[in-house]
Amino acid sequence: MIRTFDEIMNRAKEIGAKRAAILFPYNTDVLHAVMDGMREGLIAPVLVGDRERIISLAQQSGIPISNMEMIQRVDPQEAADLCLDMMVNNEVSFAVKGNILTAYLFRSLIRVTKRLAPEQTPCAICFHYLPAIKKIFAITDPGLNITPDLTSKEKILTNAIQVFRSLGYASPRVMVLAAKHLREESSQALEEARILRQGAAAGKFGPCEFLPYTDLLELAKGDGLNPETFPDIFLVPHINAGNILVKTIDHIMAGIRQCVTVGGGMIILTPSRSDGYEVRIKNLALGLVLATAGRR
């Protein structure tokens, strides 16, 4: 069971470099991370984008890229589609978002998932590490599904649980976040949390543990911050709640974050535009581990 990002880095180095598509690497932090990711034995990069722009940026930054493979694509949707097709054809193990709107990759991923695994719903999974918790946990879906219904939530959870099992979690702990209305009335999110818990008890999601809490105050009063009982996966009711929770952990709780988007067996690394070099190099390690585990 992997519990820290350092353990993920160690596992990645044991696996060895895999080919990865780097989409629109028009940023020095991206290119530095790619260069060092290659030196550390994490990736064999395939740079996808405007060749002249990539070369010009590399020369200005003093980053040697002459031994990196490059594929010329200027149109962002065509480039995103190419990266997904390369994954489908096993030409690369995973893709990395550079300076491109995430929506282009989401469109490509939805297209591929509908073709390869129509029973799945692509979703974003944000992994976090907090010093106070001393373990990795994840929030899903803070990036792709805006207001998922019950069926979509089931599929999102299935994706996240499978990802954690690939990291060695035999029975991932799940907490479904929901809240009452202001008048203390029940809500649709609470009802869906109850149905999801019932489904888990009936074995719908395979081996896993659904915690009885639906809000963070209940969790703090109950199991508190014990790493052994803290949830592995938080399912949020909608994208806004997921964004607020992710940003709170980032900027108030000083957490460490790594974001991926999954669907149809594909792994796309989707770091924020503000993420610097350190975050990006660890992101490469996570992508390598997840991509390799998912193909076992």
Side-chain angles (χ1 to χ4, degrees), residues 11 30 35 173 258 281:
R11 176 74 63 85
V30 175
M35 187 70 232
R173 286 185 296 279
Q258 297 290 340
I281 194 74

Side-chain angles (χ1 to χ4, degrees), residues 228-242:
E228 301 306 317
T229 55
F230 196 78
D232 301 312
I233 300 165
F234 288 92
L235 175 69
V236 295
H238 49 71
I239 197 170
N240 289 336

Side-chain angles (χ1 to χ4, degrees), residues 18-78:
K18 302 290 185 183
R19 282 166 56 87
I22 317 299
L23 181 56
F24 283 16
Y26 307 148
N27 178 288
T28 54
D29 280 336
V30 175
L31 282 180
H32 276 298
V34 168
M35 187 70 232
D36 283 357
M38 189 169 65
R39 287 173 177 165
E40 293 288 338
L42 302 176
I43 58 170
V46 180
L47 308 181
V48 179
D50 185 330
R51 183 186 300 269
E52 289 186 4
R53 185 173 177 181
I54 296 170
I55 292 173
S56 175
L57 176 62
Q59 290 175 342
Q60 292 172 21
S61 307
I63 302 172
I65 62 169
S66 58
N67 58 341
M68 295 185 193
E69 182 180 349
M70 278 189 277
I71 298 178
Q72 173 74 12
R73 287 294 186 280
V74 177
D75 181 87
Q77 194 60 66
E78 289 181 3

Side-chain angles (χ1 to χ4, degrees), residues 131-153:
I133 305 298
K134 293 183 173 58
K135 61 165 280 186
I136 287 174
F137 61 92
I139 297 167
T140 191
D141 172 15
L144 187 53
N145 296 278
I146 297 173
T147 53
D149 58 15
L150 178 60
T151 300
S152 294
K153 288 180 179 179

Side-chain angles (χ1 to χ4, degrees), residues 86 179 248 254:
M86 290 173 73
T248 298

Side-chain angles (χ1 to χ4, degrees), residues 2 6 34 73 109 124 134 150 267-268 272 287 296:
I2 294 177
D6 287 340
V34 168
R73 287 294 186 280
L109 181 60
K134 293 183 173 58
L150 178 60
I267 300 292
I268 302 175
S272 299
R296 282 205 293 255

